[in-house]
Amino acid sequence: MADETALETRIATRARVTVDEVRTVFESQGIPLGSPPARPRHLRIHRLRVAGVRTGALEPGPFDTTFRFREGLTALVASNLRGKSSVLELVTWCLRGTPREKSGAIHWLHEVDLDATVAGQAMAFRLNLDNEEITSAVALSGPDPAVLEAHRSPDPAQAVLPLFRAQSSESYAEQVQALMMNWMDLHPLVSTKQGTSAVTHGWPSYFGALYLPAARSAALLGDVVMSGLPGRLLQVFLDLPAAGVLTKVKTQAELMATARKRRQSAATTAQDERSSQRRQTEEDLAAARARLVQVNERAAGLDQESLADLAAATMRLARVVADRQQSWDDLMRVHRQAKIQRQRDEKLLNDVRESAIARRLFHGLDPKACPRCDQDIAADRRRLEREAHSCAVCARPVEDDDDAPEDVQAEAEERVQLSSQAERWAKDAFEQAEGELDQLSRDLQMTQEKLRRADSAAQVPEYAQAQQDVLRLEGALSVLPALPDAPDDPAENLAIKVLRASVKTLEDDHAKETDKLFADLNTAISDLGRKFGFAALESVSIDRAAHLKVISDGGHERSFTDQVAGERLRLRIAVIVALLRVGAVHQVSTHPGLLLIDSPKAEEIQDVDFHLLLEELNAVASANQLQVLVTTADFGLVHDVLPPDGIIEAAVGKPLW
């Protein structure tokens, strides 16, 4: 507890907050401030049984095969494609929850049994299969592997008890992973995905440090390079101080900081959008107000008469104009007739001055048509009357008997005076009517123009529309207030501040506690790498992120990923063994001590190198409490290195199971 209190104090000092605030933050995030040393997590397998019916041309029929595994190194030897790799996959399926890869022979299996010791507890895993899927499964605990070997189901009388049951492959995978995390005293490895969400890696990721990946993989430890998992595995297996706490704290700090940054960015974006909306609305409102002013000014220039008054005035003027037009037409005809009469009287005056016959006929009728048939008197007859002195009506000669020429002429002159006066009167009346008609027509045109403008305003209510636009935009602006800045969450700010200070404090603790540990680890990896056949290896340097620098060939420095496949394999094995060796010296719980290696000779390792690798691996496995299963198709080399109880083999060309 003293160490935890000291950690709280150091975090509070660095964050410039109180110890109570540090405790509150960690409690709210569900993260312990410290963690006790991990329990021993040794993992051993004792027996694997497989049963089923083989089909095909190679030894078809039922089979029931049992493999037993010793401490140290055990080699599975068979010809290629004869089942040795599938043994590793079946062990993986039982312990990991899912096989890494399903081989083509798994569909032959009906039953798979695995007996193991998990962190000191004897356990049995019993799988019933059909068509490569689990139909039922049970995990059992018992007093020891020997008792469990005889059971495929619980037996309380023998203290064989169920740990869980499953009815499908998915259920088995979920439950066995939870079981192993609990018994191996492991915690989920948490990382962030693009800074937005937490990703949890469980037992399958840990198992990647037990079943070595293909030599060409870029991962030094485990089989996943992403999310910094190799470094997380290294820290866990070295039981570095509060490694799990540091991972959780760092992940949570990153998630909270990213969430705050995204929220602030979203608030800024929303503010920018709102400002843009307000600017546009204000511009539209200004334009609408300008239109309203224009409409008001235009309306102010009009006579303030109603549309009904203008329509009535227009109709009245139209009727007056129509009446005056009729009067004008009548006066125009009167004037025209008066003018014709005056011209006729002047002609008659001229005739009576020049012709006695005209004087003789002056007082007679001047018919325009025949009194009997109403036909117009022809012009020829009138011409003959003037020239030949024959009556235009009856065509008889008119005798010249001019008894009072002066009186006739005087009367004709009087007629001209009267018709001229009548013409003047008619002209004056016509011209007066014409002037009045012109004025009335102009008045009517002006009234009609007013009516058209007023009618247009009534049909397209520009003013009302402009006013409505102004009101609408004022309302829109009222519901678009300027947005405030992103709300400041004091609790969140405090949490981020404390978590970031915690990350730095824990990293400092790691650096202090691990200097000697990593120095010993570097020495052990270098010694083991050379023993495993990496003759040119001079030294290595590994950091907490599991980045391995390799110095070889006279001081040439390269990274782990720059090594060839065979050297990567040797270095991976060296790291696992070094973890166990250094962990024993420093008394920390480390790697479970189970290692599965599939066909190392296939990874560019020559016979002499493979011979050396097996010898050294057998020696360090026995000396460092390591159980290793390795597969190979090289019968001779295996027998040169291992005793019979360390070899599980099939006859050349025969299946291993």
Side-chain angles (χ1 to χ4, degrees):
M1 188 65 183
D3 291 340
E4 291 184 4
T5 303
L7 178 60
E8 293 171 356
T9 303
R10 285 183 284 120
I11 293 174
T13 301
R14 172 167 268 164
R16 297 181 180 179
V17 298
T18 66
V19 172
D20 287 339
E21 286 176 322
V22 172
R23 291 172 180 166
T24 299
V25 168
F26 274 79
E27 288 173 1
S28 66
Q29 300 301 320
I31 303 174
L33 267 169
S35 57
R39 301 192 304 267
R41 53 173 70 100
H42 296 299
L43 177 61
R44 292 292 180 268
I45 58 174
H46 308 294
R47 182 184 71 100
L48 175 69
R49 170 182 169 268
V50 293
V53 178
R54 182 182 291 105
T55 59
L58 182 63
E59 299 188 10
F63 61 89
D64 191 331
T65 306
T66 298
F67 305 101
R68 299 186 183 277
F69 308 102
R70 65 166 191 163
E71 283 282 340
L73 176 63
T74 299
L76 301 169
V77 189
S79 302
N80 290 330
L81 303 178
R82 290 297 178 262
K84 56 185 182 297
S85 295
S86 62
V87 171
L88 301 186
E89 292 298 339
L90 292 173
V91 171
T92 299
W93 195 347
C94 291
L95 294 179
R96 181 177 183 261
T98 55
R100 195 168 63 178
E101 295 179 1
K102 286 186 178 181
S103 68
I106 289 180
H107 69 277
W108 295 336
L109 296 171
H110 294 164
E111 296 179 354
V112 176
D113 298 345
L114 180 71
D115 298 330
T117 299
V118 180
Q121 175 63 56
M123 294 185 186
F125 301 88
R126 305 295 187 247
L127 282 59
N128 296 315
L129 308 176
D130 183 29
N131 196 26
E132 302 185 11
E133 295 294 335
I134 294 175
T135 58
S136 65
V138 63
L140 305 171
S141 66
D144 58 62
V147 173
L148 288 172
E149 183 175 339
H151 293 80
R152 296 200 83 245
S153 60
D155 184 358
Q158 297 291 321
V160 177
L161 304 176
L163 295 170
F164 67 78
R165 298 179 186 272
Q167 301 299 321
S168 67
S169 298
E170 293 77 9
S171 175
Y172 179 79
E174 180 179 347
Q175 295 192 69
V176 78
Q177 290 171 25
L179 174 73
M180 298 302 289
M181 291 289 285
N182 180 41
W183 279 92
M184 301 290 283
D185 194 22
L186 297 169
H187 301 280
L189 300 172
V190 183
S191 61
T192 59
K193 183 178 182 181
Q194 298 178 344
T196 60
S197 60
V199 180
T200 301
H201 305 272
W203 174 240
S205 295
Y206 283 107
F207 199 85
L210 280 63
Y211 191 171
L212 298 189
R216 292 172 177 79
S217 170
L220 173 64
L221 196 60
D223 51 12
V224 178
V225 180
M226 304 300 292
S227 304
L229 284 181
R232 305 283 178 83
L233 292 174
L234 179 66
Q235 294 177 35
V236 170
F237 289 146
L238 281 176
D239 198 24
L240 295 182
V245 175
L246 174 58
T247 297
K248 293 179 181 179
V249 169
K250 186 180 294 186
T251 299
Q252 190 62 20
E254 183 178 349
L255 288 175
M256 294 186 71
T258 301
R260 182 177 64 179
K261 183 177 180 181
R262 287 179 178 272
R263 188 173 63 252
Q264 292 173 342
S265 177
T268 301
T269 301
Q271 287 175 332
D272 293 342
E273 291 177 354
R274 178 58 58 84
S275 297
S276 177
Q277 290 174 342
R278 284 184 60 85
R279 283 195 301 272
Q280 184 62 52
T281 304
E282 288 169 348
E283 291 174 3
D284 294 342
L285 179 58
R289 285 172 173 167
R291 285 196 299 272
L292 183 59
V293 170
Q294 291 175 354
V295 172
N296 280 331
E297 291 175 349
R298 195 159 56 245
L302 297 175
D303 292 336
Q304 299 302 312
E305 298 179 77
S306 68
L307 183 61
D309 292 341
L310 289 172
T314 301
M315 293 178 63
R316 177 177 55 76
L317 283 172
R319 285 195 297 269
V320 173
V321 169
D323 292 342
R324 294 299 175 88
Q325 180 69 44
Q326 183 63 46
S327 298
W328 181 81
D329 289 342
D330 293 342
L331 289 171
M332 185 178 63
R333 284 193 296 272
V334 170
H335 174 253
R336 187 181 299 114
Q337 291 173 356
K339 183 178 180 181
I340 291 172
Q341 185 62 45
R342 190 259 310 162
Q343 291 174 344
R344 182 179 296 169
D345 288 342
E346 287 179 346
K347 184 177 183 304
L348 181 60
L349 175 61
N350 186 60
D351 288 345
V352 297
R353 285 176 178 172
E354 297 179 354
S355 170
I357 295 301
R359 289 190 295 271
R360 172 78 180 268
L361 296 175
F362 178 78
H363 294 288
L365 297 174
D366 187 17
K368 300 296 185 294
C370 177
R372 294 190 65 188
C373 65
D374 290 331
Q375 295 188 39
D376 291 340
I377 296 174
D380 291 342
R381 287 203 172 201
R382 291 188 180 277
R383 182 177 55 77
L384 289 173
E385 186 179 72
R386 291 192 304 270
E387 295 176 357
H389 303 165
S390 59
C391 178
V393 177
C394 63
R396 293 180 180 178
V398 178
E399 295 181 359
D400 185 12
D401 186 10
D402 187 9
D403 52 354
E406 293 82 1
D407 294 339
V408 172
Q409 183 174 340
E411 187 176 351
E413 289 175 352
E414 185 179 359
R415 284 188 179 183
V416 170
Q417 290 176 356
L418 292 174
S419 61
S420 296
Q421 185 178 8
E423 180 185 8
R424 285 193 298 273
W425 289 344
K427 181 178 180 183
D428 291 343
F430 166 70
E431 289 178 348
Q432 182 179 355
E434 188 173 43
E436 292 176 354
L437 180 61
D438 288 342
Q439 182 61 46
L440 288 171
S441 296
R442 287 192 294 272
D443 293 344
L444 176 61
Q445 183 177 4
M446 183 180 299
T447 305
Q448 287 175 333
E449 177 63 24
K450 291 181 179 180
L451 179 62
R452 279 193 297 271
R453 291 166 63 184
D455 183 63
S456 174
Q459 297 299 324
V460 183
E462 188 176 1
Y463 177 83
Q465 183 64 47
Q467 189 175 41
Q468 182 180 356
D469 289 344
V470 170
L471 294 175
R472 176 179 57 81
L473 290 168
E474 286 177 344
L477 194 61
S478 69
V479 297
L480 289 175
L483 293 179
D485 294 335
D488 193 24
D489 186 347
E492 180 186 54
N493 293 339
L494 175 64
I496 294 174
K497 184 178 182 180
V498 169
L499 292 175
R500 285 176 169 171
S502 302
V503 170
K504 294 180 180 179
T505 302
L506 290 170
E507 286 179 340
D508 289 346
D509 289 351
H510 276 212
K512 294 175 182 177
E513 295 288 338
T514 57
D515 286 345
K516 181 64 169 65
L517 192 64
F518 273 82
D520 292 347
L521 189 61
N522 288 331
T523 300
I525 294 173
S526 301
D527 293 343
L528 290 165
R530 286 188 290 270
K531 287 182 179 180
F532 292 152
F534 195 165
L537 180 63
E538 298 174 11
S539 64
V540 299
S541 175
I542 192 170
D543 61 17
R544 285 177 293 160
H547 297 146
L548 185 69
K549 295 180 181 178
V550 181
I551 296 88
S552 61
D553 301 317
H556 184 62
E557 180 180 306
R558 293 179 297 171
S559 68
F560 171 77
T561 55
D562 291 331
Q563 310 303 313
V564 298
E567 292 171 351
R568 289 188 190 182
L569 176 62
R570 294 181 176 90
L571 289 171
R572 281 198 188 94
I573 299 172
V575 168
I576 300 297
V577 177
L579 286 174
L580 290 166
R581 180 178 292 178
V582 172
V585 172
H586 289 264
Q587 296 182 341
V588 295
S589 179
T590 59
H591 191 278
L594 173 65
L595 195 59
L596 310 180
I597 307 173
D598 189 20
S599 301
K601 189 176 179 181
E603 305 295 352
E604 303 177 7
I605 297 179
Q606 303 302 319
D607 287 352
V608 62
D609 295 331
F610 184 54
H611 190 282
L612 176 61
L613 177 63
L614 284 182
E615 284 185 338
E616 292 299 330
L617 191 55
N618 185 41
V620 298
S622 300
N624 293 278
Q625 296 183 329
L626 179 66
Q627 184 181 38
V628 182
L629 270 63
V630 60
T631 66
T632 181
D634 196 324
F635 291 82
L637 282 177
V638 170
H639 282 280
D640 289 344
V641 174
L642 297 176
D645 65 343
I647 302 173
I648 299 174
E649 65 179 329
V652 176
K654 298 295 183 178
L656 192 62
W657 50 272

